[in-house]
């Protein structure tokens, strides 16, 4: 299945958001959105992903 | 000292974390500034996010995540939710940008996003203009602090509309007000504080200075002086001279 993670296409075997993040080595303090909607950390393991989904995984960054 | 949503902060300087030459210089600048609040953001994790998290944890300041770069209500609201989880705070510096060149707030989207977020328990710090009507709407939406711009973000132009900022202060005497954006020099920050503003939020003026830590110290001094001057109740301005030396007893020569 092909999804997009942080703007880059990626083929994954994952079926949940948590598995997709693990496959992409996205760990640590991050927040996630699936197709533009926030998904809390507590729901990642039970949130299914489908072909064509777009995941954003955001981390703390400098800001003004 | 400013009180935001019931929390008293022991500095009127709020400092951004972007654009420093190195993490060490950022930490030095914060130490010299005495800032009580640091603004931060969220970006795609491409390495570095976890190190930055460790760095800001070591600063010993309260975090104010922003929604910088969001141009729609939906983006800003989603970003705010992500920030609340990552930074473990319900404080959010709400930016809904309306214009690419000036980074002027989209005040219509700002009010809408503020209402949504306030209803969801966020403590919203809106980056806004000094427009009295917009600010009234933001308060109606649930904001308990207002952050009008001094000038466009990163411009260093200072206070573009001092009359408007003074009018805002007069219109909302009990609302915490922060000049956010446009500060370039300590004199700009002092001027905001002399008007009775509760705090100043700046970033580029320190980060882009030749010696960021020294400029952070200068900003802190200016903000302290400006606040002290406001509390000392400055004299009225007049257009004509008023002799300061007594006229009575003057010799006829």
């Amino acid at each position: 299945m092909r999804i997009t993670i942080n703007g880059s296409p990626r083929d994954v075997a994952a079926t949940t958001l948590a598995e997709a993040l693990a496959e992409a080595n996205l760990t640590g303090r991050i927040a996630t959105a699936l197709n533009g909607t926030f998904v809390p950390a507590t729901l990642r393991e039970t949130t299914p992903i489908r072909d064509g989904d777009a995941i954003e995984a955001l981390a703390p960054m400098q800001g003004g | 000292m400013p009180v935001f949503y019931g929390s008293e902060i022991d500095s009127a300087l709020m400092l951004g974390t972007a654009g420093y030459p190195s993490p060490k210089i950022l930490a030095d600048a914060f130490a010299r500034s005495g800032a009580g609040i640091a603004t931060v953001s969220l970006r795609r994790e491409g390495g570095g996010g976890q190190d930055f998290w460790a760095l800001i944890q070591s600063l010993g300041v309260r975090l104010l995540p922003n929604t910088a770069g969001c141009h729609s209500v939906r983006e800003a609201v989603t970003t705010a939710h992500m920030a609340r989880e990552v930074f473990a705070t319900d404080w959010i510096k709400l930016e809904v940008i309306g214009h690419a060149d000036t980074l002027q707030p989209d005040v219509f989207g700002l009010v809408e996003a503020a209402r949504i977020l306030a209803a969801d328990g966020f403590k919203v710090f809106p980056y806004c203009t000094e427009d009295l009507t917009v600010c009234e709407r933001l308060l109606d939406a649930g904001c308990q602090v207002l952050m009008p711009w001094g000038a466009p973000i990163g411009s260093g132009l200072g206070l573009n509309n001092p009359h408007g900022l003074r009018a805002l202060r007069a219109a909302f005497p009990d609302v915490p007000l922060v000049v956010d954006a446009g500060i370039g020099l300590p004199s700009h920050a002092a001027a905001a504080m002399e008007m009775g503003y509760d705090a100043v939020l700046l970033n580029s003026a320190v980060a882009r200075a030749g010696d960021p830590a020294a400029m952070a110290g200068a900003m802190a001094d200016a903000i302290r002086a400006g606040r002290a001057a406001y509390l000392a109740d400055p004299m009225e301005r007049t257009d004509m001279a008023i002799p300061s030396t007594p006229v009575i007893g003057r010799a006829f020569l």
Side-chain angles (χ1 to χ4, degrees):
Chain A
M1 164 166 77
R2 174 156 277 214
I3 61 173
T4 303
I5 301 182
N6 284 347
S8 300
R10 190 182 183 96
D11 292 309
V12 295
T15 59
T16 67
L17 177 56
E19 289 169 4
L21 295 170
E23 273 192 56
N25 290 318
L26 287 164
T27 57
R29 208 168 181 96
I30 55 169
T32 52
L34 180 62
N35 300 324
T37 301
F38 170 60
V39 180
T42 51
L43 296 182
R44 286 178 201 155
E45 287 187 10
T46 54
T47 300
I49 55 169
R50 299 179 181 81
D51 194 50
D53 276 353
I55 296 169
E56 293 284 340
L58 306 187
M61 208 58 66
Q62 294 83 353
Chain B
M1 286 300 161
V3 177
F4 300 124
Y5 291 97
S7 295
E8 183 167 10
I9 307 298
D10 60 7
S11 169
L13 173 55
M14 302 159 72
L15 190 57
T17 57
Y20 292 82
S22 73
K24 181 180 184 310
I25 292 173
L26 184 160
D28 289 347
F30 267 84
R32 287 282 287 279
S33 74
I37 294 173
T39 53
V40 292
S41 75
L42 282 178
R43 287 292 180 263
R44 286 172 168 172
E45 173 63 301
Q50 307 310 312
D51 288 346
F52 178 66
W53 173 248
L55 173 65
I56 53 173
Q57 289 290 97
S58 72
L59 299 177
V61 295
R62 212 166 159 141
L63 298 180
L64 177 59
N66 68 29
T67 63
C70 291
H71 286 253
S72 71
V73 171
R74 177 180 156 84
E75 279 179 298
V77 168
T78 300
T79 302
H81 278 97
M82 297 174 87
R84 180 160 69 175
E85 184 176 270
V86 162
F87 294 108
T89 177
D90 51 11
W91 283 18
I92 190 75
K93 175 183 164 180
L94 182 60
E95 296 183 37
V96 182
I97 299 301
H99 194 276
D101 291 335
T102 62
L103 299 180
Q104 180 154 347
D106 169 358
V107 294
F108 305 97
L110 183 68
V111 170
E112 188 182 340
R115 182 169 288 114
I116 293 167
L117 291 170
D120 205 1
F122 283 88
K123 296 180 171 68
V124 178
F125 293 64
Y127 163 63
C128 55
T129 63
E130 70 278 17
D131 185 285
L132 294 177
T133 309
V134 168
C135 287
E136 181 97 57
R137 297 286 170 90
L138 287 166
L139 297 173
D140 290 346
C143 297
Q144 295 178 25
V145 53
L146 297 167
M147 302 210 298
W149 64 348
I153 294 171
S155 68
L157 290 172
L159 308 182
N160 267 356
N161 182 7
H163 173 77
L165 290 169
R166 259 190 225 104
L168 187 67
R169 178 71 285 177
F172 303 111
D174 301 322
V175 176
L177 297 181
V178 181
V179 167
D180 173 13
I183 300 295
L185 290 168
S187 53
H188 303 153
M193 297 304 292
E194 287 166 6
M195 288 178 189
Y197 274 70
D198 296 275
V200 171
L201 200 173
L202 57 91
N203 186 156
S204 304
V206 166
R208 282 164 39 196
D211 185 340
M215 186 59 84
M219 288 293 183
D221 290 344
I223 286 167
R224 267 192 296 271
R227 180 65 183 171
Y230 171 72
L231 293 174
D233 189 13
M235 63 169 278
E236 296 293 326
R237 295 192 344 170
T238 64
D239 289 336
M240 301 301 283
I242 299 175
S244 51
T245 301
V247 176
I248 296 172
R250 183 169 59 91
F252 285 90
L253 301 171

